[in-house]
Amino acid sequence: MADTSDIRTPAQIEADIKRRRETLAETLDEIGVRVHPKTIVGDAKAKVVSNIDHTLGRAYVGVNKAVTDVKAQFVDEEGAPRLERLVPVALVVVGVVGLLALGTRRRKG
């Protein structure tokens, strides 16, 4: 016994074939655009830029955290300088600069 639940006219079959051809043509056009060398290069560039932006963003956050941590060592919660930490560091810096200046003078003289 034949299945008669899907009886279509030749015009309906032709319309269905036409729709499927159009859909297939659109799909093939889309595939053509996706595999085109310019599209592939553009996608690769966009991915590289995105990765660089992500890396720079992470680096910025890391540096910002490091600066905040160092600042917290020399400034209290109210923003006032911690002299008990700043003075020894300043003395070390002055001492190093003085030693470098003496070394430069000895080489010239």
Side-chain angles (χ1 to χ4, degrees), residues 9 33 37 49 54 61 81-82 91:
T9 65
V33 168
V49 168
H54 180 71
V61 168
R82 293 182 175 181
L91 291 174

Side-chain angles (χ1 to χ4, degrees), residues 87-106:
V87 171
V89 171
L91 291 174
V92 168
V93 169
V94 167
V96 169
V97 169
L99 288 174
L100 290 173
L102 284 176
T104 304
R105 282 187 184 178
R106 286 186 182 175

Side-chain angles (χ1 to χ4, degrees), residues 68-76 82 84-86:
T68 301
D69 290 346
V70 169
K71 183 179 175 185
Q73 296 296 316
F74 298 104
V75 178
D76 65 14
R82 293 182 175 181
E84 71 277 4
R85 291 189 180 172
L86 282 174

Side-chain angles (χ1 to χ4, degrees), residues 30-75:
E30 185 177 325
I31 290 171
V33 168
R34 285 185 183 178
V35 299
H36 193 278
K38 286 184 180 179
T39 303
I40 293 171
V41 169
D43 290 347
K45 284 181 182 177
K47 187 173 183 179
V48 167
V49 168
S50 174
N51 286 338
I52 289 171
D53 285 347
H54 180 71
T55 302
L56 289 176
R58 288 179 47 195
Y60 175 79
V61 168
V63 168
N64 194 25
K65 183 180 180 323
V67 168
T68 301
D69 290 346
V70 169
K71 183 179 175 185
Q73 296 296 316
F74 298 104
V75 178

